[in-house]
Amino acid sequence: MEPDGRMPGRSREPFFHQPRTIRLIEEIAASEHLVIYVGAGVTITESGHSWSSMVKLLFGELGERSEPSAAIAETFDLPKQASIANEYFQRAEPDAASRVVANLLRRALYQEARWRGGDYTAAIGQFCKEKLASGHEVAIVTTNYDQYLENGLRDASSDSATAELVQSRVLPLDHALDEQAVSRLLEEIRGVLPVVHLHGVILPERNAAVAEDIVLDEVDYLRTEAGSSAVLTGMLERNDLLILGSSLEDAPLMRALWKTKAAGHRRWALFPRQNYRGSPGAYGNHPQTYDDLIYAQRRRCELFRVQVVAPDFYSQAPQFVKELAIASECARGGHEDAAYQLSQYGIRLADWWKRWIGDRSNASGKPTVNAQRKDHNELKRALDRIQKTAAVMIGARERLKLELWVRWKPSSHCRGLQLWASSTGTWLDHQTMRNEEIDVDSEFLAVRAFCNGVVELQSGPNGPRDRWKKSLAVPIRVGSESRKFQAGVIVLSTNVQGQGSIIDEHDDERMNTLIRLLTGTGRERLEAG
């Protein structure tokens, strides 16, 4: 921690407690005509891939097919690597190159490590549902190939009529759209909830009726850049804009922002401070450096009339979108403007803590030994259920440990997780239990999972004397279905490595079963009475 009480990369005041954050939530929620631009950062926790990782995946195929991939990868940047890889497939499979590439990416996007989860697309679906219920117009435009957005929108719809409004629109690879073509497209998507794919689409299952040509290499970008920019320009001339999961570097987007900056519509970009973790100018430096980087990004984006919204952590990005949905719901209910003020994140979090710790405290408000002992014992019982499941799935029992980390005394000046209960614990003094600041560079897996907002896996012991060889951390969200927030993390550790453990990242069925058990246990322990 730095002398001013901050961790590197963390703002002085908690993001959701900042008056500016609350004002922006209400402002965005009130927009009656909104376009949501979605980059790879939104679906990366579900697909496991960004554009760069997909290029590397395809490029790795060259090595397996006797191409000199290592030397090329060290010499050429990603766009050039994409061109080299695509040219190889065109040469090796002249009649089926696009199908081969699509099948490779399909497996990567939909079949690998789906257990990590993430709730970004679900949050967007919830927000769009509330916008439609309010009579507002909303459209989504994305550079992503996958269909996780469509799935999230349909899952959030409570009736089939709303779900039917969700429609994919895919721009053809050779699109050279004139003004009339753009106008026709914009007219077609009015009255529905469109997801416009600028760079093509890859479906979960091959459909011969759908062309899976995608924008992948330099030539593709050159062919489609003008058309993508024209579509975005047409949208931004008429609507407000919310940018999610984007690096704010895509040329068609930046060109459209520049062309329409005088249109008078509002534009916001969600850009977590955690994006700068590991950058040459920020890693390991004073928090002021992160402030300077965000300030520079804000000044840059002001050139395009875009307001940067900068949560501290990745987990706060989908939570911000959930808050937009809640604010929209409050406004739709015909309440005063202050309605969201009574439902905002900070108030819900404080109310949860008051009730949760109240259930475990005596008349003087101090947590009791019996309450902590009960949670220790409940974790032991939950661990027994997990071990029985492991015995069925892998035919053996292994030594496991279960820990519950809790968002402790949340307030504007207290941002930490505390180890409250353990299946191996008999320690009954909460004041001496480990308490860690919430920080992306924490040595503790539970804290890092809380910051990232997704299931995290750590292989290898923390030290030579650590008997736990692998750990799985699952963030736990509490509250009503539409108003959930993270309240802690449950961590399972094993002394077995490899495929002989219930924690096997290569077995999706095993991981999904395990995560369901851990999530259920975590919610039972963290839901307040």
Side-chain angles (χ1 to χ4, degrees):
M1 184 180 293
E2 299 297 332
D4 65 358
R6 282 192 293 155
M7 306 300 293
R10 204 172 75 176
S11 56
R12 286 183 175 84
E13 185 178 6
F15 174 69
F16 285 111
H17 287 74
Q18 296 170 19
R20 179 177 185 267
T21 300
I22 296 169
R23 176 179 58 80
L24 287 172
I25 287 171
E26 294 175 324
E27 186 178 300
I28 298 170
S31 173
E32 296 184 4
H33 305 276
L34 184 67
V35 168
I36 304 176
Y37 180 93
V38 174
V42 166
T43 60
I44 191 170
T45 57
E46 294 175 87
S47 69
H49 285 282
S50 62
W51 176 77
S52 61
S53 70
M54 284 187 282
V55 170
K56 291 177 181 177
L57 182 148
L58 291 175
F59 205 71
E61 286 288 314
L62 304 189
E64 294 184 9
R65 301 179 185 218
S66 301
E67 292 285 319
S69 59
I72 297 172
E74 292 175 3
T75 305
F76 296 93
D77 61 17
L78 281 170
K80 295 182 180 68
Q81 288 181 36
S83 295
I84 293 167
N86 207 21
E87 189 277 336
Y88 167 80
F89 285 109
Q90 294 288 346
R91 178 163 40 88
E93 307 276 356
D95 297 323
S98 62
R99 187 177 72 250
V100 171
V101 169
N103 286 335
L104 287 169
L105 295 182
R106 188 186 338 276
R107 184 169 64 250
L109 288 171
Y110 297 108
Q111 297 175 18
E112 296 179 359
R114 289 291 314 280
W115 49 264
R116 290 196 74 214
D119 58 347
Y120 214 154
T121 56
I124 293 172
Q126 183 184 341
F127 177 42
C128 289
K129 182 185 76 170
E130 293 299 336
K131 298 297 286 179
L132 293 176
S134 300
H136 298 172
E137 291 184 359
V138 61
I140 295 175
V141 59
T142 182
T143 54
N144 297 349
Y145 305 142
D146 59 70
Q147 293 251 295
Y148 290 114
L149 281 166
E150 285 90 338
N151 295 341
L153 293 170
R154 293 189 180 102
D155 289 346
S157 302
S158 56
D159 60 88
S160 58
T162 304
E164 288 175 1
L165 292 176
V166 181
Q167 296 184 16
S168 296
R169 289 288 191 277
V170 183
L171 298 189
L173 197 63
D174 58 351
H175 58 278
L177 303 177
D178 56 24
E179 189 173 335
Q180 287 185 334
V182 171
S183 295
R184 282 197 303 272
L185 173 65
L186 297 180
E187 193 59 37
E188 287 174 5
I189 63 177
R190 293 193 67 180
V192 300
L193 178 49
V195 181
V196 180
H197 289 266
L198 298 177
H199 289 174
V201 68
I202 295 176
L203 300 176
E205 296 182 3
R206 172 68 179 155
N207 184 340
V210 177
E212 293 185 309
D213 295 326
I214 58 172
V215 176
L216 179 63
D217 62 18
E218 294 168 291
V219 174
D220 296 334
Y221 274 90
L222 291 172
R223 289 166 60 194
T224 61
E225 187 176 333
S228 295
S229 181
V231 170
L232 288 167
T233 298
M235 287 180 151
L236 302 191
E237 283 175 341
R238 310 179 185 190
N239 302 281
D240 295 334
L241 173 69
L242 175 62
I243 302 172
L244 304 174
S246 169
S247 63
L248 302 176
E249 295 176 356
D250 192 54
L253 171 64
M254 304 314 293
R255 182 172 289 105
L257 288 170
W258 174 253
K259 285 183 177 181
T260 59
K261 69 174 190 171
H265 297 291
R266 298 164 297 175
R267 291 100 82 94
W268 309 272
L270 206 59
F271 195 86
R273 293 165 67 97
Q274 193 174 340
N275 282 341
Y276 288 122
R277 178 178 179 266
S279 67
Y283 185 70
N285 285 339
H286 190 277
Q288 184 62 44
T289 304
Y290 284 83
D291 292 344
D292 292 343
L293 291 171
I294 288 295
Y295 176 77
Q297 183 69 280
R298 282 182 170 144
R299 299 301 298 176
R300 169 188 173 243
C301 288
E302 282 180 8
L303 295 172
F304 301 91
R305 299 293 188 268
V306 175
Q307 295 184 66
V308 171
V309 186
D312 292 331
F313 310 120
Y314 290 146
S315 62
Q316 293 174 322
Q319 188 66 50
F320 182 86
V321 179
K322 290 179 188 176
E323 300 305 306
L324 294 178
I326 295 168
S328 297
E329 181 186 10
C330 290
R332 181 165 53 87
H335 300 294
E336 299 294 329
D337 291 341
Y340 177 68
Q341 302 281 343
L342 304 176
S343 303
Q344 61 181 273
Y345 174 90
I347 290 176
R348 302 198 315 277
L349 180 62
D351 177 66
W352 163 81
W353 168 254
K354 181 179 179 180
R355 290 183 292 114
W356 186 86
I357 199 64
D359 292 341
R360 290 161 174 77
S361 300
N362 57 26
S364 61
K366 294 182 179 179
T368 67
V369 167
N370 287 337
Q372 193 169 24
R373 180 184 290 115
K374 179 181 178 181
D375 283 329
H376 282 319
N377 291 333
E378 289 296 336
L379 288 191
K380 291 176 184 177
R381 279 190 279 272
L383 189 64
D384 185 57
R385 293 192 294 271
I386 291 171
Q387 286 175 323
K388 288 178 180 177
T389 300
V392 171
M393 298 190 79
I394 63 176
R397 292 176 71 92
E398 59 189 295
R399 187 173 177 82
L400 298 168
K401 177 180 70 170
L402 200 56
E403 293 181 342
L404 182 68
W405 292 71
V406 181
R407 181 75 166 89
W408 200 256
K409 295 181 180 179
S411 66
S412 60
H413 60 275
C414 187
R415 290 186 270 179
L417 287 182
Q418 180 150 314
L419 175 58
W420 166 254
S422 171
S423 62
T424 61
T426 56
W427 199 257
L428 297 173
D429 181 0
H430 77 277
Q431 293 181 328
T432 57
M433 297 291 278
R434 186 177 297 280
N435 189 294
E436 291 297 320
E437 290 287 330
I438 297 173
D439 173 54
V440 293
D441 291 319
S442 173
E443 65 177 296
F444 292 95
L445 181 65
V447 179
R448 299 197 300 274
F450 191 90
C451 292
N452 292 327
V454 295
V455 176
E456 293 288 350
L457 181 72
Q458 176 176 287
S459 295
N462 285 323
R465 304 179 70 179
D466 187 359
R467 68 177 180 272
W468 304 109
K469 307 305 182 186
K470 186 181 289 187
S471 296
L472 184 73
V474 180
I476 302 300
R477 298 171 179 87
V478 299
S480 64
E481 193 58 39
S482 63
R483 302 195 175 195
K484 287 187 181 297
F485 56 87
Q486 288 188 155
V489 178
I490 192 164
V491 182
L492 180 70
S493 300
T494 177
N495 67 342
V496 176
Q497 271 189 311
Q499 296 180 345
S501 170
I502 185 66
I503 305 177
D504 181 3
E505 64 271 31
H506 303 295
D507 188 326
D508 280 1
E509 181 183 1
R510 192 179 300 180
M511 292 295 282
N512 288 329
T513 298
L514 184 56
I515 290 166
R516 280 195 299 272
L517 289 170
L518 292 173
T519 300
T521 299
R523 285 177 179 167
E524 287 175 4
R525 295 298 90 215
L526 287 176
E527 285 287 1

